[in-house]
Amino acid sequence: MSRSLDSEEVFDGVRFPGYIHTPESLQAACSFQFQDTDVLLVTFPKSGTTWMQQILSLIFCKGDLWPIHHRPNWARMPWLEHISFQGFLAQWDPAQPRLLTTHLHAKALAPALKKSKARVVYVARHPKDVLVSFYHFHRMASFLPDPSSFQDFMDEFLQGTGFYSSWFDHVKGWLSLLQDLNMLLITYEELHQEPRSTLQKLTRFLGHPLSPQEEDVVLCHSSFAFMSQSSVTNYSLVPREVMDPARSSFMRKGVVGDWQEHFTPEQNAKFNAVYQAQMGDCGLHLPWTMD
Ligand code: A3P
């Protein structure tokens, strides 16, 4: 049965689009039995999920680029908590490590994850750029409410009352588990600025070294230029009534610091104050400056 675009699921205090989540799909994700060979990508939305899905798919593709050209990112690295997950899992080649994605918060998923040595790749992005990207995504995705204004959207983001809840809680919750889980933190910004050395850091963590030529293939097929033209990564396969590219592209800009084009000085000061209150003494060393 098709779910309505404007429905909403609240699970463990977090709001999710009901179009792609049910109470059952969310509950099943939390009791998922991870295997030590699984690779789980964890992100807050708009932090570079699709980019890292492409990179991880390429690292494990063993030179076979057919899926990179023909299978959508959401089939290659399905979201654990989505309605469609069990269908993708059933088709998984048992000889391949399972590549999985989630936006769930740590408090929901960590108990299941702690039972395994599955590798966890957490991608974090400067929250001001996440906010801007998420604002435009709300404009184009019909399963998320259309923001009334950028100011209102920012207020909701800072209060953590929007969909997927608080960015601050997501980052702090997951990164507090860096020592407890088999986990690597990668930032969107380092991928942007140092793509090859960041890729090498990732392949070392995965125990899956690549030759320089294989690295070239990964870097070429995960560039913004390539992915924005590829129908299996730019979401153009999704019906227009679900994601409308006339309102905003999914592969919108792919840059660092776009927030500077959107924030007024007052909004910036407000954001900085909340950031300081939330992150100031959390003990995490994130590589961003707020100005
Ligand atoms: P912008 O809206 O700022 O352009 P997610 O996949 O988590 O939803 O994140 C989407 C954001 O990642 C979008 O940001 C998109 O353009 C950006 N992105 C996707 N692929 C990228 C790539 N290869 N290089 C840089 N940015 C990329």
Side-chain angles (χ1 to χ4, degrees), residues 214-267:
E214 288 170 327
E215 287 174 6
D216 289 342
V217 171
V218 175
L219 294 174
C220 165
H221 289 83
S222 60
S223 67
F224 187 83
F226 178 87
M227 287 179 59
S228 53
Q229 294 306 312
S230 166
S231 65
V232 292
T233 49
N234 66 12
Y235 281 85
S236 58
L237 298 176
V238 173
R240 192 165 281 261
E241 57 276 17
V242 179
M243 283 193 194
D244 185 355
R247 292 173 66 79
S248 175
S249 307
F250 182 87
M251 300 289 297
R252 197 180 56 88
K253 286 193 179 173
V255 298
V256 171
D258 188 40
W259 66 268
Q260 289 162 354
E261 308 290 324
H262 287 73
F263 282 37
T264 64
E266 295 74 28
Q267 288 169 338

Side-chain angles (χ1 to χ4, degrees), residues 76-235:
R76 286 188 260 126
M77 284 204 59
W79 273 261
L80 275 178
E81 61 272 23
H82 281 189
I83 297 172
S84 50
F85 179 67
Q86 292 301 332
F88 290 125
L89 190 65
Q91 295 165 20
W92 207 272
D93 173 355
Q96 298 294 332
R98 299 185 302 187
L99 306 182
L100 312 166
T101 305
T102 190
H103 289 322
L104 288 175
H105 283 246
K107 67 177 170 144
L109 201 56
L113 254 182
K114 280 181 179 166
K115 295 182 189 150
S116 82
K117 296 191 186 69
R119 288 184 167 85
V120 179
V121 178
Y122 189 88
V123 179
R125 186 181 190 186
H126 195 304
K128 292 180 185 175
D129 284 339
V130 171
L131 162 61
V132 169
S133 183
F134 211 15
Y135 168 75
H136 289 289
F137 189 58
H138 274 67
R139 293 177 48 241
M140 63 105 61
S142 310
F143 51 83
L144 290 167
D146 210 6
S148 45
S149 69
F150 184 70
Q151 180 65 60
D152 288 349
F153 190 79
M154 177 182 282
D155 290 341
E156 205 175 56
F157 185 91
L158 292 175
Q159 287 158 15
T161 50
F163 276 70
Y164 299 91
S165 187
S166 161
W167 176 91
F168 303 100
D169 289 350
H170 201 278
V171 172
K172 286 190 286 189
W174 279 105
L175 296 189
S176 71
L177 298 172
L178 265 170
Q179 309 306 327
D180 301 333
L181 297 175
N182 191 4
M183 178 151 85
L184 177 72
L185 166 66
I186 299 257
T187 62
Y188 180 98
E189 291 72 24
E190 68 183 319
L191 256 182
H192 223 274
Q193 280 139 23
E194 305 277 350
R196 191 176 294 271
S197 62
T198 308
L199 172 61
Q200 290 166 348
K201 177 165 109 175
L202 184 59
T203 56
R204 272 197 303 279
F205 169 71
L206 296 168
H208 203 294
L210 299 178
S211 68
Q213 294 74 19
E214 288 170 327
E215 287 174 6
D216 289 342
V217 171
V218 175
L219 294 174
C220 165
H221 289 83
S222 60
S223 67
F224 187 83
F226 178 87
M227 287 179 59
S228 53
Q229 294 306 312
S230 166
S231 65
V232 292
T233 49
N234 66 12
Y235 281 85

Side-chain angles (χ1 to χ4, degrees), residues 3 7 9 16-23 25-26 81-83 164:
R3 312 248 314 157
S7 64
E9 287 301 335
F16 293 94
Y19 184 62
I20 44 179
H21 303 85
T22 57
S25 74
L26 289 155
E81 61 272 23
H82 281 189
I83 297 172
Y164 299 91

